[in-house]
Amino acid sequence: MTERTKRALLNWEGCRFALAVFREDCLIKHRKYLHLRRWMYRRLRKMGQKVFHASSSSSSSSKIQALYELCKQNFTPSGTPPPSPEVIQKLRSLMDTITPADVGLTEDIRDDGHGSFGLNQFNRAGPWVKPITYLDIHECDSFTMCVFCFPTSSVIPLHDHPGMTVLSKVLYGSLHVKAYDWVEPAQIQRSTAPSNSPVRLAKLAADKVVTAPCETQVLYPKIGGNLHCFTAVAPCAVLDVLTPPYNNAAGRTCTYYHDYPYSGFSVGNEDEPRDGNEEEYAWLAPLPGPKDFYTIPRKYRGPAIEV
């Protein structure tokens, strides 16, 4: 091998070695680049999640806080004067935008009860039904803000809201609502029912299934279905605003009722309805508080309200 060939081979080996070193250096730098890029991506993603959650929490807080502020500004402990139509519309518009997440209801909370029922069984629920849970958002002398969470088939029995205005929003699921208003002037009959209590005539105001998403419902002291019964067709939750709240000392005591068909107590008085729609009327008998009905309080986990 000539000297020239040896030098050429040495140069070639040197070039190969230099190329290998260069290549390895590039690979190391590329790996560092990829590692840095992945690290930066993870950091940016975490920052984005924090911003999103903060924004979501802020949005939820602003909705609940705005609801509280509207109630505080316009409601009184006596309910006098009653909320104006403009105030009610503002409250309805705001409540229409509130979602389960805005009051801290996550997917894992929306559990179901057991059992099933037909549409002819709305006033009955078996002993296997899980109890309703109650979330107290805020309560004061002028109003109450709360959420009821219903497992399937659970029932809030027929009851009244004396002198009260109530706004209700189904947040998720489906709820059957059966509601009445008293017929005025009052029509009262003696009862042969087991309770032996007089019965009073009421007219059906609603008998329907409400499914989220839906508009906020409003009942008033004398119209809108002041006496109602709720039955969960599916797991559901209801956001309620009551003003003024129940208060025994002020005469706002919750009374439960049983509804009897109109024909059961009709005696043909001139004041009784004769419009051919007798099925829209019922006689309501007061009942003692149902022994098998109770709610379980649960901690409210939504945005805190600044009082």
Side-chain angles (χ1 to χ4, degrees):
M1 182 182 297
T2 64
E3 192 66 29
R4 184 177 180 180
T5 303
K6 289 181 179 180
R7 285 198 299 269
L9 286 173
L10 287 172
N11 289 338
W12 172 246
E13 290 295 331
C15 288
R16 287 181 61 188
F17 177 76
L19 182 63
V21 170
F22 176 75
R23 183 183 178 189
E24 184 66 23
D25 185 56
C26 288
L27 287 173
I28 291 172
K29 289 181 179 179
H30 184 64
R31 291 192 192 100
K32 289 182 177 179
Y33 165 74
L34 290 177
H35 176 75
L36 180 62
R37 191 175 69 172
R38 284 194 294 267
W39 179 83
M40 291 180 66
Y41 174 76
R42 287 195 297 267
R43 290 284 296 175
L44 288 172
R45 187 174 61 180
K46 288 181 179 179
M47 290 173 64
Q49 289 174 344
K50 288 181 179 179
V51 170
F52 172 79
H53 290 311
S55 174
S56 175
S57 175
S58 176
S59 174
S60 298
S61 177
S62 64
K63 288 181 183 179
I64 299 302
Q65 187 69 36
L67 182 61
Y68 165 79
E69 295 292 345
L70 266 177
C71 294
K72 181 180 178 181
Q73 293 167 9
N74 295 282
F75 296 156
T76 64
S78 65
T80 304
S84 68
E86 292 77 17
V87 169
I88 293 297
Q89 186 54 48
K90 287 181 181 180
L91 287 164
R92 291 185 67 177
S93 297
L94 177 56
M95 290 178 67
D96 284 346
T97 69
I98 294 177
T99 66
D102 292 327
V103 292
L105 295 179
T106 55
E107 289 290 341
D108 61 307
I109 294 178
R110 306 182 200 182
D111 56 353
D112 189 11
H114 300 284
S116 60
F117 55 88
L119 293 180
N120 62 338
Q121 295 175 299
F122 279 123
N123 288 324
R124 298 191 298 275
W128 59 85
V129 176
K130 292 182 180 179
I132 297 166
T133 54
Y134 174 83
L135 311 178
D136 181 12
I137 300 176
H138 179 78
E139 186 170 358
C140 62
D141 292 340
S142 299
F143 61 93
T144 296
M145 295 167 55
C146 61
V147 174
F148 291 95
C149 298
F150 296 73
T152 300
S153 301
S154 56
V155 178
I156 293 183
L158 184 63
H159 62 283
D160 64 357
H161 306 82
M164 300 161 63
T165 299
V166 181
L167 296 95
S168 300
K169 167 71 185 300
V170 178
L171 298 172
Y172 67 82
S174 295
L175 185 74
H176 178 262
V177 180
K178 189 174 187 180
Y180 297 94
D181 287 312
W182 294 121
V183 170
E184 298 291 353
Q187 297 185 37
I188 299 174
Q189 301 283 3
R190 289 186 177 182
S191 169
T192 57
S195 64
N196 201 31
S197 300
V199 294
R200 181 175 174 182
L201 190 63
K203 186 173 183 179
L204 190 66
D207 190 2
K208 61 183 179 181
V209 173
V210 181
T211 300
C214 57
E215 294 182 346
T216 300
Q217 309 292 311
V218 186
L219 64 84
Y220 300 92
K222 295 186 180 296
I223 60 172
N226 187 274
L227 305 96
H228 63 203
C229 169
F230 287 164
T231 304
V233 179
C236 59
V238 179
L239 170 64
D240 269 355
V241 174
L242 303 87
T243 181
Y246 287 112
N247 185 324
N248 293 342
R252 294 189 299 273
T253 302
C254 182
T255 303
Y256 293 90
Y257 295 86
H258 181 82
D259 53 343
Y260 293 94
Y262 171 76
S263 59
F265 295 94
S266 177
V267 294
N269 290 340
E270 293 182 1
D271 292 335
E272 291 183 10
R274 297 178 183 273
D275 54 9
N277 296 318
E278 286 79 6
E279 69 278 2
E280 295 184 4
Y281 295 86
W283 297 96
L284 306 188
L287 299 172
K291 294 181 180 179
D292 56 351
F293 170 70
Y294 62 97
T295 60
I296 295 179
R298 174 181 287 168
K299 184 178 180 180
Y300 167 66
R301 300 186 182 278
I305 294 176
E306 295 182 9
V307 180

